Amino acid sequence: MREKFMEFPYEEEIRKLSYPEAPKIITETVPGPKASEILKKVYELETVTLLAPYIIPFVWQEARGATIMDPDGNIFIDMTAAIAVNAVGHSHPEIVEVIKSQAEKLMHTADMPSPRRVELIEELSRIAPGEMKGNVRVAFAMSGSDAAEMCLKFARWCTGRTEIIAFQGGYHGITAGVLALTTNPAYKRGLPILVPGIHFAPYAYCYRCAFKQKGYPDCDLQCARYVEDLITKPGTGLVDKPAAVIMEPVQGEGGYVVPPRDFVRWVWKVCRENDVVFIDDEVQSGFCRTGKWFAVEHWDVTPDLLNLGKALGGDFPVAAVVGLKKIMDKLPKASQPVTFAGNALGCAVALKNIELMKRYKLDERASKLGSYFMKMLKELEDETKIVGEVRGLGLMIGVEIVKDKRTKEPMSLENMVWLAQRMRDKGVLALMCGRWGQVFRFMPPLVITKDLLDKVYEIFRDLVKELEKRI
């Protein structure tokens, strides 16, 4: 019997957001006949650059809270939050009402001021991490990739330098500038060098240490020393000090990698001492996901530029760069127009998202539910030969699957796809990540309930043990 778990504020209200019967599979196969017909049209009409339909064939019809219904009436528990987007759940009734009421008054504003836009800027200034509070300017964007592009542009303008340090395993988007920072070769194989002056350093991926160290703290943080050497020593390949270091405080697509606290603080301190802009990319980890409003708050540092997206808008695309005034005040005037960014409808939705995060205390909820779920997954790690490591913060959790714990050889992509598809067949939508696709990630809407997490764990546990027998 699972341990008794405390109830959260508004728990009954939160329970009612999701389909109560999830998971529920009523077709003989998944996808069922209606979903299969839609997928057939997708394969015929959409570009093959799509990822999900070719890895985990799945069709969305409706979604509520932390659950999804497909066109055949099958109901799934959502462990993706639509890639960390729907923190307050899918189609929250108050979000739907805000969209309706705002749409009757004003939607598109051609990147010009509106009351909602100013309200959102003020709110972002209030919730920003560390010394950013009350000391920032905001630039709106349409996506995380958009916002990351702005961060690079702003850092270069501000410093008058051009080179950038990014990290191995990092993901910052797929538009031309930030694609140069993204390390997954599948996104850029066959393309010419898109942006020069990008330098990569090993991330603090302790389970697979690039320096072959036994682990933190015995490693003496060689990864942080490497970054310091790049910035401060000659002959490292940089022409000058870089304009910026861009970092995910918890790597997302790279494998849900949580670095040691001292790694982040060390890199940040070196940036501060050398007039290098520290860009904190929180597109996936921000807005309560890790148990704090922003993941960087776990490390007690203040970024110079904060890259936001995904959960900021939730069901409506909104992104932003929040920057210290000392950076933003150096930018040239009228130099960054974005036609659709900061429109009244998107700002109204973002404001309601933040209001719901505060009301439901989603930072505390993510922390406590994440610890509960992680404890069960850690037990599974001890029980099986193929779970190499369970790691995470809050409800941003990665499970690294390996063929052999001793050698840490990554599980084959074929077996990882099998695991994801079997999870879907049992009524749980979840995705992989990691450099070899060997990490199973759990990032549900933060309004998921303990009961739904228990069901997910039982399904995952049984399938991991089945996979162990298969190999």
Side-chain angles (χ1 to χ4, degrees), residues 8-9 288 356-366:
F8 293 99
C288 304
L356 290 168
M357 290 173 196
K358 289 181 175 181
R359 182 195 307 167
Y360 294 154
K361 296 184 178 179
L362 290 189
D363 52 341
E364 295 179 20
R365 185 183 183 87

Side-chain angles (χ1 to χ4, degrees), residues 144-181:
S145 295
D146 244 12
E149 294 273 4
M150 286 186 188
C151 285
L152 298 190
K153 190 174 179 182
F154 293 172
R156 285 168 165 155
W157 261 334
C158 172
T159 63
R161 303 189 295 270
T162 60
E163 293 172 287
I164 306 290
I165 294 176
F167 289 92
Q168 295 170 9
Y171 179 93
H172 302 285
I174 55 170
T175 51
V178 292
L179 182 55
L181 310 174

Side-chain angles (χ1 to χ4, degrees), residues 33-221:
K34 293 179 180 178
S36 295
E37 188 61 32
I38 292 171
L39 284 166
K40 181 181 177 182
K41 292 180 180 180
V42 168
Y43 298 142
E44 289 175 354
L45 300 173
E46 281 207 60
T47 170
V48 295
T49 55
L50 282 173
L51 179 62
Y54 294 95
I55 302 296
I56 307 174
F58 188 86
V59 177
W60 299 55
Q61 177 77 12
E62 298 179 10
R64 296 180 188 172
T67 53
I68 307 164
M69 181 183 291
D70 75 3
D72 297 285
N74 297 311
I75 300 175
F76 304 81
I77 301 172
D78 178 19
M79 293 301 287
T80 73
I83 319 290
V85 168
N86 291 94
V88 304
H90 298 280
S91 300
H92 191 289
E94 292 185 35
I95 297 291
V96 173
E97 184 55 39
V98 162
I99 291 173
K100 289 178 179 177
S101 61
Q102 184 62 48
E104 292 176 346
K105 302 172 186 175
L106 178 68
M107 291 187 277
H108 178 57
T109 56
D111 203 17
M112 296 173 71
S114 71
R116 288 298 205 181
R117 184 180 178 120
V118 173
E119 288 172 35
L120 181 55
I121 291 170
E122 291 174 334
E123 187 61 52
L124 290 173
S125 182
R126 282 191 288 268
I127 66 174
E131 297 168 13
M132 279 189 144
K133 285 183 171 56
N135 187 33
V136 296
R137 293 187 184 275
V138 175
F140 286 109
M142 290 302 297
S143 70
S145 295
D146 244 12
E149 294 273 4
M150 286 186 188
C151 285
L152 298 190
K153 190 174 179 182
F154 293 172
R156 285 168 165 155
W157 261 334
C158 172
T159 63
R161 303 189 295 270
T162 60
E163 293 172 287
I164 306 290
I165 294 176
F167 289 92
Q168 295 170 9
Y171 179 93
H172 302 285
I174 55 170
T175 51
V178 292
L179 182 55
L181 310 174
T182 294
T183 56
N184 186 334
Y187 297 135
K188 52 187 179 182
R189 186 177 286 114
L191 297 176
I193 294 175
L194 298 166
V195 176
I198 307 300
H199 303 264
F200 291 99
Y203 195 75
Y205 189 176
C206 297
Y207 183 71
R208 299 185 181 276
C209 177
F211 299 93
K212 308 299 181 185
Q213 300 293 308
K214 291 183 179 179
Y216 174 79
D218 297 335
C219 62
D220 199 29
L221 281 174

